[in-house]
Each structure stands twice: as C-alpha cells, then as structure tokens.
C-alpha cells in the first residue's frame, strides 16, 4: 500500500485545454508519479496522462455471472431439492419462472459490487496523493491542479519547480506532508 | 485556505463560442465553472432557508404525522379498517404501490437511459429526478408491506434458512416483485450516491461550518477530483447506467406480472408489461414537471432548467401517453376479439358499470387533455404545463384504480359480486405517503445539491477540449 500522502509540488491551470496540454508534456518528460485534480472529468485526460483503460467492466461481468449462478442455485435448490411442493401439477424445476429473480440478482450483484470495488480501488492507487490540506486548492471548484509527487524516481525539488513553471502553471508551490507550503 | 478566494478568476467564456454549441440552450450563456458551482452550492450552504421552505416542510411533516397515525391504527386493528373485502382484496394499497413505483421510473429513465443515449439535457434534472425515484420507491414499498397484514413479519418474504423450514414461493410473481423492488431501491440509491460524491467534495471544501465540513467530508469519501479516479468513476457510472436501464424496464414488467400472471379477466393480458412501463414513464415525467416547475421558480434556477427542458419533458409525456392510449385501445379490442364472454363482460362493465365515472375520468385525464401537448404554445406555457402534469398524475392514479378495482369487483359468479369503497384510513395512508415524499424532497433540496454541479460544468463550451481538438 502506498502512503496516503507525500510531499510534492502543485501547480494551477484555469482552462481544461491548458491542463490537457500540460498533462501530455508531463507524461512526455518521463514523470510517473503525477496526477491532475480536476473539477469534472476532462475527456482525453486518460490518454494525455498515459493511463490504461479501466479494468472495472471485467469486475462487473464476473459479479453479474456470480449473481446468475447464485440465483439459479438458490431457486433450484429450494424448489426442486429442499422442499418441492406440488401446485396444480406444475413442474418443480420451472426454469421460466426463475428468470425474473435471476435477472434481478444479476443486476444486484453487478451494481453493488462494481460501486464498492470502484470506491475501494480509489484507495489503492499507485500514485501517492497530495496531503489533504493541499487538496483545498479549488480542484473541486474551478481549478485544474497538477500534482507531482516527491516519490517520483525523477524527483528533484528545484528541477520539478522549474519544470512546472515552464508549463505555464500558476500558483506553483512545494508542499510537505502536513500540507504546509515549503518556503 | 479559504476556497472562496479567487486571485485569478477564470477567463469569461466567449459568447460566440457558446452560441455554436448545441447544448447551449440547456444552460443560460455567461456562466463559468465558478459561477455554476457558486449558484448551486449556495442554495445549500449560504442562502437563508426561505420561509416557503419552512412552511412547505411543516405541511408535509404534518402529513407524515397523519401517516404515522393511520399506520398505528392499522397495526392495532388490522387491515379491516381499510375498504378491502372479498372480492376486492387489492384496494388502495396495491393501487398506490403501483402508482408510486411508476413515478419512480422517470428518475432512472432520465439518469440512466438518457445518459446512454447522450441526451445532455438530462444533466440539470437528473439529480432531483433520481432523488424523486428513491423517495417514490420508499413510499411504494410501504404499501405491500402494510398490506401483508403483519408487516413485522415482512422479512419472511426474503429467502433465509430458518427454523420453520420455510422458503418463499419462487414461482410467484409477488416474490419476483420483492426481488425487483429491493434491487431497484438499492441500485437507485447507489446510482444517486455515486453521482453525488464529487459534489459532496465540493460542499466539503466550501462549507463554512465545522459540522458541514465533517458531514460532507465523511460522505465525500475523500474525493479529490484526481484524473485517475475520474476515469474509473466515469467507467463505474456508465456501468451502473447500463445495469439500471434494463433494471427499470424489468421492475414495472414484474409489477405488471402481479396482474398478468393471474387468470382474471382484465388482468390476464400480454400487453401489460410494455403498457405498464410506458405508463410508469408517463406518470414519472408528469411528477418531474410537477416538482421542477415550482422548484425552478422558487430558487431562480431558470438558467439551468430552461424552457427547452420543459419542452422536451412535455414531448416525452406526449409520446409515452400515446403508447398508454394504444394500450387502452388494445385492451378494448382484445376483449372483443378474444370472444371470451368474461373478457367482454369485464370491459363493458368497466365502461358502463358502477365505476363508469372513474373510467371516463381516466380517459379524459390520461388521453384527451394531454393531447394539448401537441401544441408548442401549450408546451411553452409554464402554468398550463404544470396543470397538465397534475392532470396526468391524477389520471395515472385513476388507471391503477380502474385496473385493480373494476377487474375484481365483478367475480365470475354474480352471487360473489361486491363493491369497493375506500375508507378514511385508506385516504389518510395515501395522503400521508404524499406528505412523506414531499418532506423527504424538501430535506434533500435543503441539504444536498439538487442539480449535479460537476456535470453542469461539463455543459460549458470550454469544457469540450477533446471535441474542439478534433474539429
């Protein structure tokens, strides 16, 4: 597990287009432990940052299958093996009657599981995040904030600061773990 | 650091660029990322609670007390205080259950189906339409549970190993309904909460009070707006939308199976599933309009919920209303064409029997009056549109009354015929759930952003960086 927060450097942008251009430059300069904090999903950011596609749909698919298997197993076990009851001579293994619950169970497992996994996966990110105090920079308001973590193999405070300024970022500042700005 | 301080205000969006974007009609020109955030979050964080809010909440809360009283009396005396009898065993409880569940459907349609269809106008109405879904489903769920007679044993409906050696009857549509409604409530709540997380982070960072920061902070789950998280977030949101879309169609289909699987004239009809789903969306959009029109006036949100939104919703109502009208026509045609004596008698009894005023009121409110929506003038006249929405809400309630009561009250043998009259306890319970619904909605408007802030930001032309790069 990566540390919750580390020191690093922050720089602000005010237009999503500038942020996108900056992200591509950071990626091309060879930085690995960087992130962009944005007020909304900026489309194209994944490619600009060199991210892979999310694996989440596979989780959803597996959970959907689990839901189907669970519902089928439960209904067949109850209605055919554990307590078969004769209603008007209708078949015990009445598979068409088991479809609605199978469908609902599939959706239930897939939706609940995907949401929980997506939330938990956010905790296990490979990029160390800025300290919470430094997050209150307006990224949930109207700013696009570049973050480069000091854990990056390329890290050198002076070099990082010069680089972020060269991207045209505003309000560039180094922060330590407590979220204080380093002079 | 005070989040409100802005040493560098973002550049004003150029007006000409805004006019070229098709979505521009869904948000008034001149807004910036900051102004959208301010305007929506101020309703929760800084504006004084309006007197109208306090008054409305007080009335709704009074109705909740009426509901609790009606339920207490019901638990003491039993379902005998209701008007249900033999042959009409399903009275107000099932009418109201189907009505509320139907209202909920528009929320999921707006949030999930319109998202998948890239209908960007959904953005400013999806949040409170989803809230409406949740509260409507909560009201709906109460009715069948109370109708069981011993609601404290309602958990017997769920399959769990128990010392009685009992299982639910999985071949019964009533049990399918338990699963459908439970899944629907869970997935709707998830979808709503996942959509709220980034906005809760905005409120956390902008709240001035310690209590506000703490509560919104806990609910925001540490959201920072990391681009890596956004990518997964969008993936999760789309997956939930993809799951919610067939789910919403399945829920009212299963509700219609409660009727259609039985061998009863008036219920045993294959057209029920699609016609119930269309009716659900019809009544749901009517309820969205019933809520959106006063809310946008009270909070001055005409910039975000524009005339074009109202116009689009009116068109959806017109389309789904016509599907419902087709359903009515098919019911009549098949009753005649089937050649079944009982089917024909049932239909003729609906039209001319003791409940004829309800049937004709249904035709007037659900089919005749909504035809006014063909006229653009009517769709753009906000008070008239509000009136039509109320008429449709009533009409869809009458439809469920007609389906439930007129199909049951004339049994196969005339010696078993009866009549159904709701008692005042039926009315108290029904009006009480309306109070519950409105009270929860008032709390939602006061404490959570009723319009999705982060999605509204994406409506601004300058947010479309990828599209403009390709153009």
């Amino acid at each position: 597990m990566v540390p919750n927060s580390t020191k690093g450097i922050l720089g602000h942008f005010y237009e999503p287009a500038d942020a996108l251009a900056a992200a591509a430059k950071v990626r091309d300069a060879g930085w690995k432990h960087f992130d962009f904090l944005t007020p909304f999903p900026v489309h194209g950011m994944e490619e600009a940052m060199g991210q892979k596609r999310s694996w989440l749909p596979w989780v959803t698919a597996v959970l959907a299958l689990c839901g189907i298997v669970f519902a089928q197993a439960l209904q067949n076990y109850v209605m055919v093996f554990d307590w078969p009851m004769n209603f008007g001579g209708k078949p015990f293994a009445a598979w068409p009657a088991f479809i609605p619950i199978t469908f609902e169970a599939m959706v239930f497992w897939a939706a609940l599981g995907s949401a929980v996994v997506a939330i938990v996966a956010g905790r296990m990110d490979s990029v160390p995040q800025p300290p919470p105090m430094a997050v209150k920079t307006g990224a949930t308001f109207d700013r696009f904030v570049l973050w480069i973590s000091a854990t990056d193999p390329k890290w050198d405070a002076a070099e990082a600061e010069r680089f972020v300024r060269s991207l045209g970022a505003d309000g560039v500042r180094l922060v330590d773990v407590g979220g204080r700005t380093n002079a | 650091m005070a989040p409100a301080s802005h040493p560098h205000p973002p550049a004003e969006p150029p007006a000409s660029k805004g006019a070229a974007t098709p979505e521009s009609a869904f948000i008034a020109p001149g807004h910036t990322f900051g102004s959208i955030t301010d305007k929506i979050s101020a309703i929760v964080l800084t504006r004084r609670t309006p007197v109208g809010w306090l008054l409305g909440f007080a009335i709704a809360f009074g109705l909740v007390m009426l509901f609790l009283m009606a339920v207490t009396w019901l638990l003491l005396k039993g379902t005998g205080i209701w008007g249900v009898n033999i042959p009409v065993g399903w009275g107000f409880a099932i009418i109201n259950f189907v009505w509320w569940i139907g209202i909920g459907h528009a929320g999921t349609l707006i949030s999930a189906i319109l998202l998948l269809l890239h209908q960007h106008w959904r953005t400013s109405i999806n949040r409170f339409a989803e809230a409406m879904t949740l509260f409507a489903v909560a009201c709906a769920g109460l009715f069948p549970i109370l109708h069981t007679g011993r609601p404290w044993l309602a958990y017997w409906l769920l399959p769990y190993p128990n010392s009685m050696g009992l299982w639910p009857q999985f071949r019964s549509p009533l049990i399918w309904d338990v699963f459908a409604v439970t899944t629907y409530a869970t997935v709707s709540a998830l979808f709503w909460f996942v959509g709220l997380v980034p906005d809760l982070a905005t409120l956390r960072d902008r709240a001035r009070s310690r209590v506000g920061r703490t509560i919104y902070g806990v609910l925001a789950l540490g959201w920072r707006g990391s681009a890596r998280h956004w990518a997964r977030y969008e993936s999760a949101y789309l997956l939930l939308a993809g799951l919610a879309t067939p789910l919403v169609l399945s829920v009212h289909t299963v509700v219609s199976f409660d009727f259609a699987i039985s061998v009863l004239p008036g219920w045993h009809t294959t057209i029920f599933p699609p016609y119930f789903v269309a009716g659900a969306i019809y009544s749901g959009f009517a309820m969205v309009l019933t809520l959106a029109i006063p809310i946008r006036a009270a909070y001055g949100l005409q910039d975000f919920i524009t005339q074009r939104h109202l116009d689009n919703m009116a068109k959806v109502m017109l389309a789904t209303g016509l599907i419902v009208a087709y359903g009515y026509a098919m019911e009549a045609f098949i009753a005649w064409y089937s050649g079944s004596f009982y089917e024909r008698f049932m239909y003729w009894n609906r039209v001319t029997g003791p409940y004829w005023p309800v049937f004709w009121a249904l035709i007037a409110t659900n089919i005749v009056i909504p035809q006014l929506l063909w006229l653009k003038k009517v769709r753009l006249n906000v008070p008239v549109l509000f009136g039509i929405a109320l008429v449709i809400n009533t009409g869809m309630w009458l439809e469920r009354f007609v389906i439930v009561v007129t199909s049951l009250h004339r049994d196969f043998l005339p010696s078993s015929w009866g009549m159904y009259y709701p008692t005042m306890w039926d009315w108290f319970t029904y009006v009480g759930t309306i109070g519950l619904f409105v009270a929860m909605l008032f709390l939602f408007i006061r404490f959570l952003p009723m319009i999705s802030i982060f999605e509204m930001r994406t409506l601004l032309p300058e947010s479309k960086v990828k599209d403009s790069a390709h153009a």
Side-chain angles (χ1 to χ4, degrees), chain A residues 14 16-17 34-40 43 60 78-79 82 85 87 91 97 104 122 125 127 130 140-141 170, chain B residues 6 8 33 37 167 169 171 176 202 205-206 224-230 232 234 239 247 250 457 462-463 465:
Chain A
Y14 300 100
F34 73 101
D35 206 342
F36 246 103
L37 311 183
T38 63
F40 59 85
H43 287 173
T60 310
V78 167
M79 304 301 287
D82 191 50
M85 282 188 288
F87 287 95
E104 303 298 339
D125 258 345
V127 177
T140 59
F141 187 70
D170 199 5
Chain B
H6 278 285
H8 304 281
F33 298 131
T37 315
W167 290 108
Q169 164 58 289
R171 283 173 292 190
W176 305 347
T202 299
D205 293 349
R206 295 180 63 70
R224 316 155 190 253
S226 155
R228 291 166 198 275
H229 291 169
W230 274 124
R232 194 183 298 112
E234 285 214 293
L239 286 166
L247 175 65
S250 84
R457 294 180 191 129
E462 59 265 39
S463 73
V465 278

Side-chain angles (χ1 to χ4, degrees), chain A residues 111-112 115 119, chain B residues 106-116 122 126-127 129-131 133-134 183-198 233-245 247 452 454-455:
Chain A
L112 191 63
I119 288 167
Chain B
T108 320
L109 182 106
I110 290 170
S111 56
I113 301 183
L114 296 186
L115 177 80
L116 297 181
R122 70 180 266 289
N126 70 338
R127 172 70 50 73
E130 282 166 37
T133 296
L134 272 182
T183 305
Y184 188 47
T186 312
V187 174
S188 303
L190 266 180
F191 200 55
W192 186 63
F193 179 68
V194 168
L196 265 170
V197 165
Y233 177 89
E234 285 214 293
S235 178
Y237 201 66
L238 264 182
L239 286 166
L240 283 180
L243 289 166
T245 298
L247 175 65
S452 171
F454 87 87
E455 283 178 289

Side-chain angles (χ1 to χ4, degrees), chain A residues 126-166:
Chain A
S126 55
V127 177
Q129 292 287 318
M133 279 302 286
V135 178
K136 290 187 105 182
T137 47
T140 59
F141 187 70
D142 64 350
R143 313 283 180 80
F144 301 81
V145 182
L146 169 64
W147 158 254
I148 299 179
S149 166
T151 55
D152 194 286
K154 246 170 81 90
W155 177 260
D156 172 80
E159 163 60 20
E161 189 168 351
R162 195 199 56 74
F163 175 70
V164 175
R165 281 193 202 287
S166 78

Side-chain angles (χ1 to χ4, degrees), chain B residues 347-419:
Chain B
Y347 204 84
W348 192 243
N349 178 56
R350 240 181 220 185
V351 178
T352 62
Y355 289 105
W356 69 267
V358 183
F359 177 84
W360 290 106
L362 159 69
I363 298 295
T365 50
N366 246 3
I367 299 187
V368 179
I369 296 172
Q371 297 313 312
L372 288 169
L373 295 173
W374 284 101
L375 306 171
K376 196 172 174 89
K377 227 185 205 164
V378 170
R379 293 199 304 270
L380 294 182
N381 186 328
V382 178
V384 173
L385 191 59
F386 183 67
I388 292 179
L390 285 178
V391 164
I392 295 172
N393 280 326
T394 320
M396 286 307 295
W397 187 86
L398 293 173
E399 179 196 294
R400 277 64 180 251
F401 185 95
V402 165
I403 291 173
V404 170
V405 175
T406 64
S407 309
L408 284 171
H409 82 122
R410 290 288 176 259
D411 210 332
F412 291 95
L413 290 173
S415 58
S416 313
W417 288 2
M419 286 293 284

